[in-house]
Amino acid sequence: MNLTYTPEQQAFRAEVRTWLEAHVPKAPLEHYDATREGFEAHRQWEATLKSGDWGMVTWPKEYGGRGLDLIQWLIFEEEYYRAGAPGRVNQNGIFLLGPTLMEFGTHEQKQRFLPPMASGEEIWAQAWSEPQAGSDLAGVRATALREGDEYVLNGHKIWSSRAAFADWAFGLFREPGSERHKGMSLIFFRLDQEGVTRNPIRKINGHVGFAEIFLDNVRVPAFNRLGDEGQGWHICMATAGFERGLMLRSPARFQEAAAALAALWQSRKGTCDPALEADVVRAHMNAEAYALNIYQTASRLMAGAKIGPEASTNKIFWSEMDIHLHETALAILGAEAELLPPTGEHEWLDDYIFSLAGPIYAGSNEIQRNIIAERMLGLPR
């Protein structure tokens, strides 16, 4: 692996840094899961990004992107986190559904859905999990009955991130009577259309980051099905690969957190257990190792490879790294960690609580270890 940046890549980094320094809001936005106002403020930030063609830099220009490669996307992400820019409210769209649409969608579907996704005009929720089907996604019971040029959707989805305020959702449905991995399709539906009921789920911090969705004879055009009928499981596994192995958790997220942890240690090491220094160093090493691995993955994809079951090793690594990093921060802060930080300072406690969900969402780590055992190591079930 060549670990040096080309002159063109360095120039691109300078361009990104200059633009972000001129446009990132000076004061933090209210969190997009806190209120409708916070959500809409982040939607407006997405429009600001699009004004500079930064909505999703890897997408072709005709779909709202810049036509850049994955290495340039990683550079953009590094500068984005360095600048302290707002969180991406449309991450379900641009990081998960978008790449999947690029691979499986028709030209007409890409033209219809990608540009408003890149601009933030349409914000997406993920509607896969159900009360009895989470990490075991093949257990979904929501149905899609074909009637002419439409599907009639029925069922109950839960833990749908961004669904409290989003415009659209991409859901996994099955043909009535089908079982497990057969007869499933990925279908888009609007969250404000007739027959859709969404109930926000309030988290421990008061935010409504999730919602449950009830679908009662919801009619959508067949145009909203991604890929072939019955291809849903295969398509969702491709989306999960992007989620676990590349797009959802940018290395820059953890590199910036590790740098903040190092600064916290430097400011407080005189009153802390000296043994914690080893954990601070470990957090830095983990973040750098993860970044190098993602650069390697991006290089492989640019050379024509596909994301495979090795994405499960990535998912386990970043989720457990995140917990360790934030446990170390709380250990440094001691009882002070329970106090609300001043506005604009790192929210270590909130981030720690969120990190605890990492081994669960995007497929629980127990399931990921099964995938590694069966599909990578060839062990018997």
Side-chain angles (χ1 to χ4, degrees):
M1 180 187 294
N2 185 351
L3 299 179
T4 59
Y5 294 103
T6 66
E8 293 77 15
Q9 290 167 341
Q10 292 171 341
F12 175 70
R13 183 185 295 278
E15 179 189 359
V16 176
R17 182 172 297 188
T18 298
W19 191 91
L20 289 170
E21 286 175 348
H23 291 85
V24 169
K26 302 306 179 187
L29 302 181
E30 184 179 25
H31 197 281
Y32 46 68
D33 286 337
T35 63
R36 167 63 76 175
E37 290 74 21
F39 186 90
E40 293 303 328
H42 280 79
R43 188 198 297 271
Q44 184 56 49
W45 167 246
E46 293 293 327
T48 301
L49 283 172
K50 181 61 183 70
S51 71
D53 288 329
W54 301 111
M56 192 55 192
V57 297
T58 58
W59 293 358
K61 294 179 180 179
E62 64 179 308
Y63 301 138
R66 284 190 167 220
L68 305 182
D69 62 36
L70 287 172
I71 299 298
Q72 290 169 303
W73 172 71
L74 288 168
I75 292 171
F76 172 79
E77 287 287 293
E78 289 170 4
E79 291 303 314
Y80 193 89
Y81 277 90
R82 187 201 66 82
R88 304 299 300 273
V89 66
N90 208 12
Q91 59 183 325
N92 290 316
I94 58 176
F95 295 149
L96 302 184
L97 179 59
T100 312
L101 253 170
M102 209 70 72
E103 184 171 347
F104 295 98
T106 65
H107 178 64
E108 291 75 19
Q109 287 176 321
K110 294 173 187 177
Q111 283 186 315
R112 164 60 187 87
F113 293 112
L114 290 176
M117 191 185 295
S119 69
E121 181 183 345
E122 293 178 345
I123 307 294
W124 288 78
Q126 186 178 20
W128 288 7
S129 295
E130 298 180 5
Q132 303 302 321
S135 293
D136 181 20
L137 199 57
V140 300
R141 308 311 306 165
T143 59
L145 177 65
R146 182 71 179 260
E147 290 188 358
D149 292 332
E150 293 184 318
Y151 284 100
V152 181
L153 308 181
N154 283 280
H156 179 194
K157 299 292 184 177
I158 199 165
W159 308 122
S160 296
S161 52
R162 304 293 91 74
F165 304 125
D167 307 300
W168 284 81
F170 55 103
L172 189 61
F173 300 89
R174 65 169 62 255
E175 181 183 355
S178 65
E179 292 293 335
R180 300 299 294 173
H181 306 90
K182 308 293 186 182
M184 304 171 83
S185 295
L186 190 70
I187 298 175
F188 311 150
F189 60 94
R190 287 198 61 89
L191 285 163
D192 60 357
Q193 71 182 89
E194 184 178 356
V196 176
T197 302
R198 46 181 166 175
N199 297 328
I201 299 174
R202 197 166 296 279
K203 300 192 294 184
I204 193 172
N205 63 0
H207 293 177
V208 285
F210 304 102
E212 62 176 345
I213 303 171
F214 295 91
L215 299 106
D216 183 16
N217 292 324
V218 176
R219 291 186 172 272
V220 300
F223 176 80
N224 288 12
R225 185 196 69 231
L226 184 60
D228 295 332
E229 197 166 74
Q231 198 183 8
W233 178 260
H234 174 67
I235 294 173
C236 284
M237 290 304 97
T239 307
F242 293 120
E243 184 177 29
R244 298 165 184 166
L246 183 66
M247 288 287 186
L248 184 64
R249 289 294 171 254
S250 163
R253 170 194 179 108
F254 301 110
Q255 289 173 306
E256 286 299 315
L261 179 66
L264 179 68
W265 168 253
Q266 288 297 326
S267 69
R268 293 172 176 265
K269 62 182 180 181
T271 58
C272 294
D273 180 354
L276 287 172
E277 185 172 27
D279 285 305
V280 175
V281 172
R282 176 185 162 194
H284 171 78
M285 293 171 62
N286 283 346
E288 292 303 310
Y290 178 66
L292 291 173
N293 185 62
I294 292 298
Y295 267 94
Q296 181 188 51
T297 299
S299 299
R300 288 178 51 247
L301 293 176
M302 288 164 59
K306 299 286 187 182
I307 293 179
E310 72 280 355
S312 294
T313 64
N314 259 18
K315 196 270 169 170
I316 292 171
F317 188 85
W318 62 248
S319 60
E320 296 183 352
M321 166 177 63
D322 201 21
I323 291 175
H324 168 262
L325 190 156
H326 287 91
E327 283 179 340
T328 303
L330 297 194
I332 293 172
L333 289 167
E336 209 176 314
E338 297 187 28
L339 301 176
L340 291 175
T343 300
E345 289 196 12
H346 203 108
E347 297 187 355
W348 290 110
L349 182 58
D350 261 13
D351 288 351
Y352 167 70
I353 292 171
F354 183 78
S355 76
L356 297 177
I360 302 172
Y361 66 79
S364 73
N365 285 7
E366 290 78 11
I367 295 294
Q368 303 315 308
R369 288 184 165 90
N370 285 346
I371 291 172
I372 292 168
E374 295 169 15
R375 301 182 195 174
M376 294 182 68
L377 303 179
L379 299 177
R381 300 190 63 171

